[in-house]
């Protein structure tokens, strides 16, 4: 369909118009109240001559005004989006002002925007590109945050915006900015909402894990990295390998040992990990700090290159705590000096500080007497009624969700086809569905 | 021939490495008796020499005596390599003794004449046997070929060439016509393997022998007419009984050599009456050995009721124990919780155990296992006990005991904790109720998160492009 055709059908009374469409007409048309969004999107999509359209979209209005100042981001989301995208294009001579971008991201109409998922992705990438061009990547943070929180149907939906935003947060080290997004775990994926690719899921969870790890929220970081490492893959991706490495280090910080990965994790990853310096490190953890430091000496370069040295150092710093914890299983009482010897720490004071810290954080249950004797007591798990109730509620929620899933699965045509074929019972799927 | 020399010299060195702490020279005195006469009288042929070689190398106190006895025996045989290994064992011991022992040239000068004569005789016989084998092979007489292979194998075995012996034994298998022949072949191989301590291969031939035995039984039965069928079946049965003991002993040794002590113990206690071992007594294994190996393995791995039922109240095994009275003392001390005596007996016979070619490599591990078990058993009835009291019961210092106990707690064998300041061992008390609650909470949370992750995974699968299929 030609440019002319588009506007001939779209704009009443302009059928006689010759030549390329002008921005004025386009904007006028957008402003006219009668426009139906769905049909507009359909027409815009149908016109495939991108370049010419983009070039006319970057122009100014005939009266010299910026079209963005005429349009309202909330009411004219579609048009605004098109113009922004065109002007954010790599070689664009007239980049939009940051205020306009922020304004749009704060106020756009999510329902309209969802009709154009590719454009939203382009916009997000364009914003990052622009910020980089201005040598101030942080500029992109706020608009992207607006996009990522407002665009998805629910926070549990994954979109292409997620990995872009998270990578930016990690790159600019604004980890806290990512927290509101990371708080809700991703459980839903809707391809009609966003043209996701395989890597988006991996990158989002990897970057999320890195951000949480940097904030020392180990437990959540572990979950994110595990999701990344255990995502379905016939051939594991490099980012999954990196995630596995960080995952085991974080597990050492959290539990003092590694946790076996879920069964569905690609076995190649585990094998590779075992033969890397990380495998050797895990095997000998926890030990006295001096020994661990000696152990990693020759691999320090690898750790540095892979940007994991910080994590490795943190794991080593925590090694004495795991050793002390082991002692509580063996001994009832011990002198501070004895502990220092077993754990490989030079001064009693440092041991005392560590033990006090562990008692405070609830890692161990112990007391130190005046003469430096540490008495370990059993750890009594304190469970209140509220805890049990909370857990019960969670469980009920889960089972309700699962039941719902099962019901929808039972009415899924593909599934029924498969079941009836595999069991060799010729059931007419259509009858079943009716 | 070269292969053999290397083998003979290396095996003791290897076993020393395996035992780790085994000292280079073992004491032989009143506290650690070692009766050379008993050894020479309970073994024959090659076994004596093998054992004496070990003793010569490891015990300076009796080295001269052992050397003489070994040489006496070697001269009756035809293995010149064995002669050299006996001598080198003494030289090694003499080298370590810092001049306390006379050099070998003074007590036993090299007998070149015997070597030459034996070598000539051996070569002649080898030639004869090889010619025989060739003739039979060209004549295609199956039975004769088998016998020629067997004779040649026996010859190689006598001169100590294990690899060639094994080769000819296995070759003879192709020419076996009855299962009896197969059985013979298997036993020859097992004997050979035991002699050379090749434990890993033994079980294969034991199973082959077992299959051959089944075949004999099944062919013997239907051939006989109805009336004497009973008696022939009986004959087969006793036949089986006879070889079964050998098979059990063989399997026991095989497992023992590979460090599977519990399986080994099970087979050793099953071995039938002493007589049934027949030709194996002395040449392959002494009845006393079965008692020692079986008991040590059992003490190290069996729970107490099994020890009393399978060792103490087992008449068959009792007969073996009679051969080594100290073994009974050992078991009784163990069963009545006199652990200090147990350790004392083990220490007293440490030299005897260490020079045993089969036991030497394992004795340290076995002692450790028995000690650990004893400690666990000793602590079982207590809620708390002073380490001091425990240490006197075992005859150790408090520090030594503490080390042992701590190791056991860390490996999870004793559920207790040490009060280090007051030197008390206290059993752990757990509040099952709260532990249960904690576990339920934990697994609930775990399930919930696993569920969530699985759902995401499911959705990734459903959306085909998200699941990489590069």
């Amino acid at each position: 369909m030609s440019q002319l055709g588009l506007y001939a059908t779209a704009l009443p009374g302009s059928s006689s118009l010759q030549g390329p469409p002008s921005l004025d007409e386009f904007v006028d048309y957008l402003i006219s109240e009668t426009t139906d969004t769905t049909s507009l999107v359909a027409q815009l999509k149908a016109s495939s001559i991108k370049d010419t359209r983009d070039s006319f979209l970057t122009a100014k209005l005939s009266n010299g005004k910026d079209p963005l100042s005429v349009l309202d981001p909330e009411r004219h989301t579609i048009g605004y989006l098109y113009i922004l995208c065109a002007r954010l294009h790599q070689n664009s001579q007239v980049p939009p002002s940051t205020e306009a971008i922020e304004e749009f991201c704060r106020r756009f109409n999510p329902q309209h925007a969802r009709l154009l998922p590719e454009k939203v992705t382009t916009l997000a990438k364009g914003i990052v590109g622009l910020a980089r061009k201005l040598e101030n990547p942080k500029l992109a943070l706020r608009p992207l945050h607006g996009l990522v929180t407002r665009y998805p149907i629910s926070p549990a939906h994954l979109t292409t915006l997620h990995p872009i935003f998270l990578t930016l947060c990690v790159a600019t080290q604004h980890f806290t900015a990512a927290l509101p997004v990371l708080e809700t775990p991703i459980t839903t994926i809707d391809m009609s909402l966003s043209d996701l690719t395989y890597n988006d899921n991996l990158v989002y969870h990897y970057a999320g894990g890195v951000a949480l790890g940097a904030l020392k929220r180990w437990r959540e970081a572990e979950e994110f990295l595990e999701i990344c490492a255990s995502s379905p893959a016939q051939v594991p991706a490099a980012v999954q390998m990196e995630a596995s490495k960080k995952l085991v280090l974080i597990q050492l910080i959290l539990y003092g040992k590694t946790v076996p990965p879920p069964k569905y994790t690609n076995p190649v990853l585990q094998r590779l990990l075992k033969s890397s310096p990380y495998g050797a490190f895990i095997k000998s953890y926890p030990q006295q700090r001096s020994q661990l430091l000696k152990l990693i000496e020759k691999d320090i370069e690898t750790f540095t290159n892979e940007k994991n040295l910080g994590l490795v150092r943190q794991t080593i710093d925590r090694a004495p705590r795991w050793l002390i914890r082991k002692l509580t299983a063996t001994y009832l009482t011990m002198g501070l000096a004895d502990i220092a010897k077993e754990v490989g720490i030079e001064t009693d004071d440092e041991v005392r500080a560590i033990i006090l810290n562990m008692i405070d954080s609830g890692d161990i249950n112990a007391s130190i007497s005046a003469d430096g004797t540490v008495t370990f007591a059993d750890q009594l798990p304190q469970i209140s009624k509220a805890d049990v109730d909370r857990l019960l509620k969670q469980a009920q929620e889960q089972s309700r969700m699962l039941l719902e899933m099962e019901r929808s699965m039972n009415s899924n045509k593909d599934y029924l086809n498969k079941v009836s074929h595999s069991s060799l019972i010729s059931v007419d799927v259509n009858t079943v569905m009716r | 021939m070269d292969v053999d020399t290397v083998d003979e010299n290396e095996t003791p060195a290897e076993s020393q490495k395996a035992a780790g702490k085994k000292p280079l020279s073992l004491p032989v005195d009143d506290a650690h008796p070692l009766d050379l006469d008993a050894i020479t009288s309970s073994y024959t042929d090659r076994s004596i020499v093998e054992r004496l070689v070990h003793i010569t190398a490891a015990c300076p106190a009796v080295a001269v005596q052992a050397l003489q006895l070994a040489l006496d025996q070697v001269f009756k045989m035809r293995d010149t390599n064995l002669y050299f290994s006996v001598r080198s064992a003494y030289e090694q011991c003499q080298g370590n003794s810092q001049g306390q022992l006379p050099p070998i040239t003074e007590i036993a000068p090299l007998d070149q004449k015997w070597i030459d004569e034996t070598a000539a005789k051996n070569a002649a016989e080898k030639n004869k046997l090889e010619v025989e084998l060739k003739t039979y092979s060209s004549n295609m007489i199956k039975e004769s070929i088998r016998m020629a292979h067997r004779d040649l194998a026996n010859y190689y075995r006598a001169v100590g060439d294990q690899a060639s012996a094994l080769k000819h034994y296995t070759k003879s298998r192709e020419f076996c016509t009855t299962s009896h022949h197969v059985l013979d072949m298997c036993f020859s191989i097992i004997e050979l393997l035991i002699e050379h301590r090749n434990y890993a291969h033994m079980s294969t031939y034991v199973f082959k022998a077992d299959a051959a035995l089944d075949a004999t039984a099944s062919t013997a039965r239907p051939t006989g007419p109805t009336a004497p069928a009973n008696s022939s079946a009986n004959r087969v049965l006793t036949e089986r009984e006879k070889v079964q003991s050998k098979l059990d002993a063989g399997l026991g040794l095989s497992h023992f050599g590979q460090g599977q002590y519990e399986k080994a113990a099970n087979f050793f206690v099953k071995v039938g009456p002493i007589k049934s071992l027949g030709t194996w007594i002395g040449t392959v294994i002494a009845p006393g050995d079965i008692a020692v190996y079986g008991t040590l393995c059992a003490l190290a791995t069996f729970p107490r009721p099994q020890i009393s039922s399978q060792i103490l109240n087992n008449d068959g095994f009792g007969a073996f124990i009679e051969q080594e009275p100290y073994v009974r003392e050992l078991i009784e001390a163990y069963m009545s919780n006199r652990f200090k005596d147990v350790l004392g007996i083990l220490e007293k016979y440490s030299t005897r155990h260490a020079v045993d070619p089969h036991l030497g490599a394992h004795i340290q591990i076995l002692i450790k296992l028995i000690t650990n078990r004893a400690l666990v058993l000793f602590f079982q009835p207590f809620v708390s006990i002073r380490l001091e009291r425990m240490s006197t019961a075992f005859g150790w210092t408090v520090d030594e005991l503490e080390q042992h106990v701590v190791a056991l707690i860390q490996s999870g064998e004793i559920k207790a904790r040490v009060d280090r300041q007051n030197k008390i061992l206290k059993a752990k008390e757990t509040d099952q109720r709260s532990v249960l609650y904690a576990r339920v909470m934990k697994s609930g949370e775990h399930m919930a998160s696993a569920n969530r992750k699985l759902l995401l995974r499911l959705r990734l699968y459903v959306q085909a492009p998200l699941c990489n299929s590069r």
Side-chain angles (χ1 to χ4, degrees):
Chain A
M1 192 187 275
S2 73
Q3 293 284 301
L4 195 63
L6 164 68
Y7 293 104
T9 48
L11 308 172
S14 67
S15 54
S16 58
L17 198 73
Q18 297 295 314
S22 75
L23 190 61
D24 294 85
E25 286 165 14
F26 182 59
V27 170
D28 282 343
Y29 169 60
L30 289 172
I31 292 173
S32 66
E33 296 283 331
T34 52
T35 330
D36 171 35
T37 331
T38 338
S39 63
L40 170 67
V41 170
Q43 277 154 10
L44 285 171
K45 270 188 183 166
S47 94
S48 52
I49 312 158
K50 247 188 190 157
D51 297 332
T52 44
R53 199 180 66 224
D54 277 359
S55 64
F56 90 82
L57 284 175
T58 52
K60 288 207 166 173
L61 290 177
S62 49
N63 54 11
K65 268 192 180 170
D66 185 345
L68 294 179
S69 62
V70 180
L71 294 169
D72 178 62
E74 197 173 347
R75 296 216 327 273
H76 314 117
T77 301
I78 303 282
Y80 216 101
L81 186 57
Y82 263 88
I83 295 171
L84 272 184
C85 281
R87 287 173 60 173
L88 278 168
H89 194 270
Q90 281 270 288
N91 309 321
S92 154
Q93 301 301 315
V94 271
S97 65
T98 38
E99 289 79 27
I101 296 174
E102 270 183 36
E103 176 87 356
F104 175 78
C105 293
R106 208 174 59 238
R107 290 185 44 212
F108 75 96
N109 182 339
Q111 270 147 7
H112 289 183
R114 277 174 210 141
L115 296 168
L116 286 166
E118 322 80 62
K119 280 283 158 195
V120 178
T121 313
T122 323
L123 173 69
K125 283 184 185 149
I127 296 174
V128 176
L130 176 69
R132 201 167 291 145
K133 218 182 324 180
L134 297 175
E135 279 165 15
N136 191 0
K138 286 176 204 168
L139 275 183
L141 274 175
R142 204 178 311 156
L144 277 180
H145 182 257
L147 276 180
V148 91
T149 42
R150 297 190 60 224
Y151 177 73
I153 301 170
S154 82
H157 277 77
L158 183 68
T159 64
T160 43
L161 304 172
H162 282 80
I164 298 172
F165 177 58
L166 250 295
T167 329
L168 184 73
C169 286
V170 172
T172 56
Q173 305 210 331
H174 279 66
F175 304 114
T176 31
L179 277 183
V181 179
L182 294 174
E183 242 152 34
T184 333
I186 298 293
T187 52
T188 317
I189 282 169
D190 189 348
M191 291 296 282
S192 64
L193 178 68
S194 201
D195 47 348
L196 286 164
T197 62
Y198 170 69
N199 267 341
D200 287 333
N201 168 47
L202 296 183
V203 170
Y204 171 67
H205 282 110
Y206 177 71
V210 173
L212 288 166
L215 294 169
K216 297 197 195 299
R217 296 170 75 145
W218 306 118
R219 208 169 292 274
E220 288 146 293
E222 183 203 4
E223 191 172 316
F224 270 77
L225 289 173
E226 191 194 304
I227 291 176
C228 176
S230 66
S231 280
Q234 271 156 11
V235 183
V239 67
Q240 286 185 299
M241 187 66 219
E242 293 308 306
S244 305
K245 288 174 185 167
K246 287 197 163 52
L247 175 64
V248 286
L249 290 177
I250 284 178
Q251 281 172 342
L252 289 185
I253 292 176
L254 254 180
Y255 312 113
K257 57 181 184 211
T258 53
V259 180
K263 282 201 198 74
Y264 43 76
T265 313
N266 198 309
V268 178
L269 286 175
Q270 288 307 304
R271 243 193 346 260
L272 284 175
L273 189 68
K274 230 175 231 158
S275 52
S276 69
Y278 297 88
F281 182 65
I282 295 163
K283 226 190 222 160
S284 45
Y285 191 88
Q287 272 183 19
Q288 301 194 349
R289 272 190 296 199
S290 49
Q291 283 166 343
L292 286 174
L293 285 172
K294 212 191 300 163
L295 187 88
I296 62 159
E297 237 166 49
K298 66 178 191 317
D299 296 320
I300 260 186
E301 206 171 314
T302 327
F303 290 136
T304 321
N305 287 344
E306 296 177 359
K307 310 265 183 244
N308 283 333
L309 191 65
L311 274 179
V312 172
R313 285 206 190 286
Q314 288 190 60
T315 20
I316 293 177
D317 279 347
R318 276 180 80 91
R321 300 171 74 100
W322 300 116
L323 290 174
I324 291 176
R325 199 124 164 216
K326 257 194 185 163
L327 291 179
T328 65
T330 317
Y331 296 99
L332 270 176
T333 61
M334 252 187 134
L336 276 176
D338 281 342
I339 298 182
K341 210 173 82 198
E342 295 266 343
V343 179
I345 289 175
E346 267 103 59
T347 62
D348 289 4
D349 290 338
E350 198 185 339
V351 178
R352 189 194 297 269
I354 294 177
I355 291 178
L356 285 177
N357 184 304
M358 288 177 77
I359 298 171
D360 283 344
S361 60
D363 282 345
I364 55 169
N365 193 359
S367 55
I368 305 178
S369 64
D371 61 345
T373 307
V374 184
T375 312
F376 300 122
D378 276 322
Q379 260 182 305
L380 281 180
Q382 297 293 327
I383 292 153
S384 65
K385 201 168 173 306
D387 285 337
V388 179
D389 284 349
R390 182 178 52 81
L391 210 65
L392 265 178
K393 222 170 131 195
Q394 253 182 33
Q396 283 165 351
E397 185 84 358
Q398 285 259 333
S399 63
R400 192 187 52 73
M401 197 168 74
L402 286 179
L403 199 72
E404 227 166 71
M405 282 259 322
E406 198 184 342
R407 286 170 68 111
S408 70
M409 183 58 104
N410 280 342
S411 60
N412 184 315
K413 197 168 170 182
D414 290 340
Y415 169 73
L416 286 172
N417 255 329
K418 188 122 192 164
V419 169
S420 59
H421 274 293
S422 61
S423 61
L424 289 175
I425 304 167
S426 59
V427 182
D428 184 7
V429 177
N430 292 326
T431 24
V432 175
M433 288 189 63
R434 219 176 289 144
Chain B
M1 292 290 181
D2 278 349
V3 177
D4 194 61
T5 0
V6 172
D7 197 354
E8 290 288 335
N9 291 335
E10 263 188 5
T11 321
E14 259 171 20
S15 62
Q16 271 176 12
K17 252 184 246 157
K21 284 178 280 182
K22 194 170 148 188
L24 262 175
S25 65
L26 298 160
V28 178
D29 47 36
D30 287 345
H32 304 89
L34 182 73
D35 191 352
L36 286 180
D37 293 338
I39 290 175
T40 42
S41 65
S42 51
Y43 300 99
T44 53
D45 294 348
R46 209 177 180 84
S47 305
I48 301 190
V49 187
E50 297 246 330
R51 282 172 166 76
L52 288 173
V53 167
H54 272 99
I55 295 168
T56 321
C59 315
V62 289
V64 181
Q65 209 184 340
L67 175 73
Q68 293 294 359
L69 287 169
L71 288 179
D72 286 351
Q73 192 63 37
V74 167
F75 285 135
K76 287 185 214 156
M77 294 162 63
R78 50 204 282 194
D79 186 347
T80 48
N81 284 313
L82 202 56
Y83 178 61
F84 289 119
S85 70
V86 170
R87 294 176 65 92
S88 72
Y90 181 80
E91 276 163 358
Q92 182 196 337
C93 179
Q94 198 249 337
N96 288 335
S97 68
Q98 286 137 7
Q100 282 167 10
L101 288 172
I104 190 153
T105 39
E106 279 177 28
I107 34 172
L110 190 68
D111 192 343
Q112 193 59 45
K113 194 171 150 244
W114 179 82
I115 297 174
D116 293 342
E117 274 173 16
T118 322
K121 247 195 278 173
N122 285 348
E125 178 157 3
K126 185 179 162 200
N127 264 336
K128 193 189 110 201
L129 289 170
E130 274 174 352
V131 169
E132 269 177 25
L133 177 62
K134 257 182 206 149
T135 335
Y136 293 139
S137 306
S138 55
N139 289 345
M140 307 269 276
I141 311 167
K142 240 187 166 187
E143 175 62 10
S144 303
I145 299 175
R146 182 184 74 84
M147 282 166 67
H149 272 302
R150 192 198 57 197
D151 291 345
L152 206 50
N154 283 342
Y155 158 77
Y156 277 123
R157 190 174 150 195
V159 300
D161 184 351
Q162 190 213 2
S164 307
L166 193 61
K167 196 176 87 192
H168 283 286
Y169 275 131
T170 27
K171 266 198 183 156
S172 78
R173 182 158 186 240
E174 294 167 30
F175 304 96
C176 289
T177 40
T178 69
S179 40
H180 211 86
H181 292 157
V182 179
L183 205 59
D184 275 352
M185 185 243 358
C186 285
F187 276 118
S188 304
I189 294 183
I190 295 171
E191 283 167 27
L192 184 72
L193 291 175
I194 295 178
E195 255 170 34
H196 291 275
R197 293 183 284 287
N198 191 341
Y199 302 106
H201 281 155
M202 275 157 62
S203 53
T204 336
Y205 290 97
V206 172
F207 292 133
K208 275 187 186 153
D210 206 37
L213 207 55
D214 284 343
T216 3
S218 59
T219 49
R221 249 173 237 156
T223 46
T226 12
N230 255 346
S231 66
S232 93
N234 277 343
R235 201 179 53 80
V236 170
L237 260 183
T238 51
E239 181 98 330
R240 185 175 182 101
E241 241 167 49
K242 236 188 253 168
V243 286
Q244 189 63 46
S245 295
K246 287 188 187 175
L247 293 183
D248 286 337
L251 267 185
L253 265 182
S254 163
H255 286 305
F256 181 63
Q258 297 177 66
Q260 295 157 328
Y261 303 123
E262 190 168 359
K263 282 186 187 164
N266 274 322
F267 282 108
F268 282 131
V269 299
K270 263 191 354 204
V271 176
I274 297 180
K275 256 194 295 172
S276 66
L277 283 173
T279 53
W280 276 26
I281 298 174
T283 54
V284 174
I285 196 167
D289 288 341
I290 295 194
V292 176
Y293 301 162
T295 309
L296 289 179
C297 287
L299 291 185
T301 55
F302 283 0
R304 221 178 252 246
Q306 206 179 344
I307 293 178
S308 86
S309 71
Q310 298 212 5
I311 304 266
L312 283 181
N313 302 328
N314 180 341
D315 290 340
F317 196 69
F320 288 104
I321 295 180
E322 295 309 320
Q323 304 284 321
E324 293 280 354
Y326 81 90
V327 171
R328 185 166 293 280
E329 271 174 54
L330 179 68
I331 303 171
E332 270 162 12
Y334 183 87
M335 294 305 277
S336 52
N337 287 346
R338 285 179 284 121
F339 296 121
K340 195 176 172 182
D341 294 349
V342 173
L343 296 178
I345 294 173
L346 286 175
E347 172 61 27
K348 186 174 171 190
Y349 289 93
S350 61
T351 305
R352 188 208 173 294
H353 291 158
V355 295
D356 188 298
H358 297 295
L359 188 57
H362 300 279
I363 186 66
Q364 294 298 337
I365 307 169
L366 283 170
I367 289 181
K368 196 162 186 298
L369 284 172
I370 294 174
T371 321
N372 286 354
R373 276 192 167 242
L375 279 168
V376 174
L377 280 175
F378 187 86
F379 181 66
Q380 236 165 28
F382 293 100
V383 170
S384 71
I385 183 170
R386 292 202 153 274
L387 288 180
E388 212 182 315
R389 219 188 115 193
M390 224 168 145
S391 65
T392 45
F394 279 84
W396 291 334
T397 64
V398 175
D399 282 342
E400 249 180 306
L401 179 85
E402 196 182 303
Q403 274 177 15
H404 274 102
V405 169
V406 164
L408 282 173
I409 295 173
Q410 279 169 352
S411 65
E413 283 181 63
I414 294 184
K415 299 255 176 300
R417 296 200 291 188
V418 180
D419 186 336
R420 198 160 188 181
Q421 301 308 99
N422 304 317
K423 300 289 180 198
I424 295 174
L425 183 63
K426 266 196 182 146
K428 216 181 241 174
E429 300 160 41
T430 40
D431 180 359
Q432 297 297 347
R433 189 183 154 83
S434 57
V435 169
L436 178 73
Y437 263 103
R439 259 184 66 184
V440 168
M441 301 282 280
K442 213 175 148 193
S443 51
E445 264 156 30
H446 183 74
M447 284 271 270
S449 79
N451 245 336
R452 200 171 54 240
K453 285 177 219 159
L454 279 174
L455 276 181
L456 173 65
R457 195 178 164 76
L458 177 80
R459 296 225 155 86
L460 286 173
Y461 266 120
V462 172
Q463 307 290 345
L466 295 189
C467 143
N468 119 342
S469 45
R470 273 181 278 178

